[in-house]
Amino acid sequence: MSLSFVRPEWLLALPAMLAILWWAARESYADLQGHRLIVAWVVRVALVTVLVLALAGAEIVRPARQLAVVFAVDASHSVPEAERERALEVVRRSLRHRGGEHTCAMVVFGRRAMLEAERLSRTEDVTIASEVGGGHTDMAAGLRLALGVIPPETAGRIVLCSDGNENVGAAEEQVLAASAARVSVDVLPLATREAADS
């Protein structure tokens, strides 16, 4: 278990705020003595520290024991059938070699993204049956859906299987969102047809 910060730059404000607290409190503590003075200082310092930690986005991070791997497979027309089958074979191979604590899922995308399998367990289940509108490629939709499939209490990894011919959406934004959620995005490049999506 560890402590991490979303906006760690706010931690730099803590010494300055404590100095301001000390300077402002010189007169207000004039009548306090003994344990009352100590209690007053402890309470004020604790409040300022909690405020700074909240501004810094402090969060307790526990190491996840489970890993959720989501394969995002490009089912658009620009990917040849043989390349799509190669991507599915990678998914099957991963299923055969996964650890006991790991789960696998698969989304497919074209013009739309669809969840093909939320929890894969058998290699024979690795097929594409969803109609996603193959005339376009929206990698951002595929990544967004893949990110949404990962349970919050597990470590996550997305494997993007695509030829990279995106003509709808902006995949970069979803990669940044995955990075912010501490989900790694790996890419399996697929070959493309000479005639890309229309």
Side-chain angles (χ1 to χ4, degrees), residues 69-73 82-98 104-106 120 123 126 157 159-161 186-190:
V69 180
V70 183
F71 293 88
V73 180
E83 284 296 285
R84 197 172 300 119
E85 185 53 40
R86 182 169 72 89
L88 296 180
E89 189 51 43
V90 168
V91 177
R92 293 182 190 108
R93 194 162 54 243
S94 297
L95 273 178
R96 285 192 286 267
H97 298 351
R98 70 189 165 115
C104 290
M106 187 171 74
L120 287 168
T123 56
V126 181
R157 179 180 172 208
V159 181
L160 176 63
C161 309
D186 300 321
V187 178
L188 173 66
L190 303 179

Side-chain angles (χ1 to χ4, degrees), residues 81-179:
E81 189 61 40
E83 284 296 285
R84 197 172 300 119
E85 185 53 40
R86 182 169 72 89
L88 296 180
E89 189 51 43
V90 168
V91 177
R92 293 182 190 108
R93 194 162 54 243
S94 297
L95 273 178
R96 285 192 286 267
H97 298 351
R98 70 189 165 115
E101 296 290 324
H102 299 355
T103 61
C104 290
M106 187 171 74
V107 303
V108 294
F109 62 92
R111 179 65 182 91
R112 298 175 301 279
M114 299 186 75
L115 179 61
E116 190 67 46
E118 187 173 4
R119 199 171 184 95
L120 287 168
S121 56
R122 302 180 308 164
T123 56
E124 53 266 30
D125 295 335
V126 181
T127 59
I128 296 177
S130 302
E131 292 291 332
V132 293
H136 295 83
T137 304
D138 189 349
M139 281 194 288
L143 289 169
R144 186 167 42 250
L145 180 57
L147 190 56
V149 171
I150 297 170
E153 69 277 4
T154 65
R157 179 180 172 208
I158 297 172
V159 181
L160 176 63
C161 309
S162 177
D163 60 357
N165 284 332
E166 179 182 45
N167 55 18
V168 180
E172 297 86 0
E173 295 175 5
Q174 296 307 313
V175 171
L176 289 173
S179 177

Side-chain angles (χ1 to χ4, degrees), residues 1-82:
M1 190 161 31
S2 63
L3 189 65
S4 71
F5 302 94
V6 178
R7 297 172 299 280
E9 62 273 9
W10 276 101
L11 294 175
L12 299 174
L14 185 58
M17 291 182 78
L18 290 175
I20 292 169
L21 176 65
W22 175 82
W23 182 81
R26 289 180 305 158
E27 298 297 325
S28 63
Y29 287 164
D31 296 336
L32 294 179
Q33 294 180 355
H35 71 278
R36 288 186 177 181
L37 178 62
I38 293 171
V39 169
W41 265 110
V42 168
V43 169
R44 288 192 180 185
V45 168
L47 287 174
V48 168
T49 303
V50 167
L51 174 65
V52 171
L53 290 176
L55 290 170
E59 54 187 18
I60 296 173
V61 179
R62 290 185 219 161
R65 295 185 178 179
Q66 275 193 319
L67 173 66
V69 180
V70 183
F71 293 88
V73 180
D74 190 340
S76 66
H77 296 329
S78 67
V79 177
E81 189 61 40

